Amino acid sequence: MSFLSYLITGLSLGSVYAIIALGYTMVYGIAKMLNFAHGDVIMVGAYVSFLAIGKYDTPALVACLLSVFACTILGVLIERLAYKPLRSAPSLAVLITAIGVSYFLQNSAQLLWGTDTKVFPAMLGTNQLVLFNGELMISYVTIATIVACIIIMTVLTLFINKTKIGKAMRACSEDKGAAQLMGINVDNTISITFAIGSGLAAIASVLLCTAYPALNPTLGSMPGIKAFTAAVFGGIGSIPGAFIGGLMLGILETFSIVYISSQLSDAIVFGVLIIVLLLRPTGLLGKKIRVKV
Amino acid sequence: MEKMKQLFKKNNKNQALSFLLVIVMYVAIEALLKTGNLKSLYTSMLVPVCCYCIVALALNLVVGVSGELSLGHAGFMSIGAFTGVIVSGYLSNFIGSQMVCFAIAVVCGAIMAAIFGFVISIPVLKLEGDYLAIVTLAFGQIIKTLVNNIYLGYDQAGFHFSFVKNTIELQSGGKMFISGPVGATGTTITSNFTAGVIMILITLIIIYNFMNSRQGRAVMAARDDKIAAQSVGLDIVKTKTMVFVLSAALAGAAGVLYGLNFSTLVPSKFDFNTSILVLVYVVLGGLGNMFGTLISTIVLVMLPQLLRALNDYRMLIYAVLLIVIMIATNNKTIRDMITGVFNRKKAEGEGE
């Protein structure tokens, strides 16, 4: 029974990674950039919902919505101010700018909210679902996380495949020039992608902080790197890939903590990533791009 | 042919400027030190600046010259630093001269980092582009995690090693070199500014010689056009491996310099952020431009210290400066505007 309980914990952690990874992968797919500031958007989202609940005593759902709203605006602002001027610049320049944005967000948070670790309030209570005569206990937070991830995944897949904006996004990620010739507003499409990615980051932040309730200005970096790994794991640019990659990474991390060693779990996770990339150089579901002369 | 000549001239100029910069800086700082005009705040920064210069030069070899992105160079620094601490701690039992100890430690650190660099380059260089960058990131994380779990001590009975859990019981007079997350403590400080500058000069000599060698030209050809380079029979994987190993070795040597400059050193010092920091120096200095790298490293390492008057806002300003510089140098409209202003001034100056 303990195996099942670890598996569920892993799935829940993986769901959070998957939601963050979706943001990475969508932005990469369309703007071909590694957005290292994504992890810090998560941090901002966490602080917004923390302040909403702690200071203004709003209900959990309202706090969550506020956080999504704030992060969406933040994401679009970052894109417009920092990344848009570099649309045709070499990718390394954009990467460094993203790092600059990440420093900026971390240090602003430090100035605004201090460096001390704050405790995130329990949003869904600490109730647990008891199954099999108490042999299996699952907290409602865990269930909510997994359900949220599945809903997001379904809605996002439908959005990308069925709506006009989704079609525009796919077109932009294939070929920006051709998309523009077809009358697609590339700038707006990219902004929408950033908005969705950042909104997802906000949801992830609430889920993450409910599960691990310690708040500080660098809380986003490690989940950010892990989710980025998850996106690569599944094949960066691929939405189902991010989902599968996230879940696998979460399960892998939980299992290596429980069965091998909590200190070595990071080494194991990244080691598996390297092996996966050696066997499938573009991730599990990544597209292979042939270079022609 | 003319173009080739120009290229060589440009290279030589860059080379001469780099050496000149290092030597002039060294003389100036030594003069300030001798007359006691340098604040202790800056004195403590001298060796770290040297160390970051070497790592940035080493990283520029990978990013600028061979055109591959590495996000894990702090890992090599870490390997170098802790190897250096162990070697110098062990040798100090037998060798009296600190200089000799330090030199051997640097060589050992470089070799150790080179071995790791070679092992890592096998999977890394099979991949391309962003995937390659991610594998180097992963290796950086793995190295950090592993070093975090190493316990190594030495006493009369020899070396004692344990992993994950500290099970070492040393006899009296024994010394722990590395104790897990606490890292190295009680290290005898043997690094100094002169050694750092000498190491920068050696690094520059190695890098410029490599860039002007047959292998160096092969790597640059592969960077500019992989398929064309392959079609004239260049063994790209081999040359790129060489660059990667060389760069790892230099980063390892820099790590030794860093590790032996502090009496305590935690493994988490060499994390992803350090790798990124060095990458920032390289990109701002200019890819493949060693002189630019030196300048940007010196300025950027000192900048937070210079902005100290602004207290809490200094890192914020640092971040904003980073973004603004990147946009100003890479956005075509803004760049044209800036060069336009300069050209007009120049034209006016000529008109007078």
Side-chain angles (χ1 to χ4, degrees), chain A residues 40-261:
Chain A
D40 300 290
V41 176
I42 301 171
M43 178 269 299
V44 174
Y47 270 101
V48 170
S49 48
F50 169 76
L51 288 177
I53 295 176
K55 270 207 171 146
Y56 305 104
D57 220 16
T58 54
L61 195 67
V62 177
C64 188
L65 285 176
L66 264 177
S67 157
V68 170
F69 183 67
C71 282
T72 309
I73 291 179
L74 181 70
V76 175
L77 266 182
I78 292 174
E79 198 273 325
R80 279 284 142 112
L81 292 176
Y83 303 151
K84 198 181 160 208
L86 296 172
R87 200 59 50 79
S88 55
S91 64
L92 255 179
V94 190
L95 183 78
I96 301 290
T97 313
I99 292 161
V101 173
S102 157
Y103 284 169
F104 180 80
L105 292 179
Q106 277 180 21
N107 288 294
S108 315
Q110 233 171 61
L111 286 175
L112 285 173
W113 300 306
T115 42
D116 51 325
T117 302
K118 296 184 171 66
V119 179
F120 199 79
M123 275 192 165
L124 292 166
T126 46
N127 293 337
Q128 289 189 321
L129 184 70
V130 181
L131 291 174
F132 305 111
N133 297 328
E135 277 192 49
L136 184 65
M137 309 237 279
I138 312 165
S139 71
Y140 283 110
V141 179
T142 312
I143 299 169
T145 309
I146 298 172
V147 171
C149 178
I150 292 170
I151 292 173
I152 287 171
M153 189 57 214
T154 322
V155 172
L156 201 65
T157 313
L158 286 176
F159 178 78
I160 298 280
N161 289 324
K162 302 281 178 197
T163 63
K164 212 169 172 182
I165 304 171
K167 205 184 240 175
M169 280 177 171
R170 279 182 290 144
C172 284
S173 83
E174 286 267 327
D175 188 334
K176 279 198 203 63
Q180 199 151 26
L181 289 178
M182 296 301 120
I184 294 170
N185 188 335
V186 176
D187 279 337
N188 278 353
T189 313
I190 292 180
S191 288
I192 292 170
T193 314
F194 268 85
I196 296 174
S198 308
L200 290 178
I203 298 175
S205 78
V206 175
L207 295 172
L208 188 75
C209 287
T210 322
Y212 305 92
L215 222 62
N216 59 45
T218 51
L219 90 104
S221 0
M222 208 51 206
I225 294 179
K226 292 267 178 65
F228 174 48
T229 313
V232 177
F233 215 67
I236 196 156
S238 147
I239 288 177
F243 181 67
I244 294 170
L247 291 185
M248 282 181 65
L249 195 79
I251 294 171
L252 193 68
E253 190 180 330
T254 312
F255 279 3
S256 52
I257 287 175
V258 179
Y259 291 115
I260 305 174
S261 156

Side-chain angles (χ1 to χ4, degrees), chain A residues 21 24-25 28 34 225-238 241-242 245-246 273 276-277 280-286, chain B residues 127 130-135 137:
Chain A
Y24 266 115
T25 228
Y28 185 87
L34 302 175
I225 294 179
K226 292 267 178 65
F228 174 48
T229 313
V232 177
F233 215 67
I236 196 156
S238 147
L273 170 81
V276 167
L277 281 185
R280 288 192 62 88
T282 50
L284 293 173
L285 300 179
Chain B
L127 300 166
D130 294 328
Y131 287 96
L132 187 150
I134 287 145
V135 172
L137 183 158

Side-chain angles (χ1 to χ4, degrees), chain B residues 249-290:
Chain B
L250 291 172
V256 178
L257 181 68
Y258 195 91
L260 293 177
N261 186 46
F262 298 99
S263 56
T264 53
L265 185 70
V266 287
S268 56
K269 175 79 193 88
F270 304 107
D271 58 356
F272 178 61
N273 284 334
T274 311
S275 300
I276 289 290
L277 209 64
V278 180
L279 184 67
V280 170
Y281 304 153
V282 170
V283 175
L284 278 184
L287 294 181
N289 186 338
M290 300 303 158

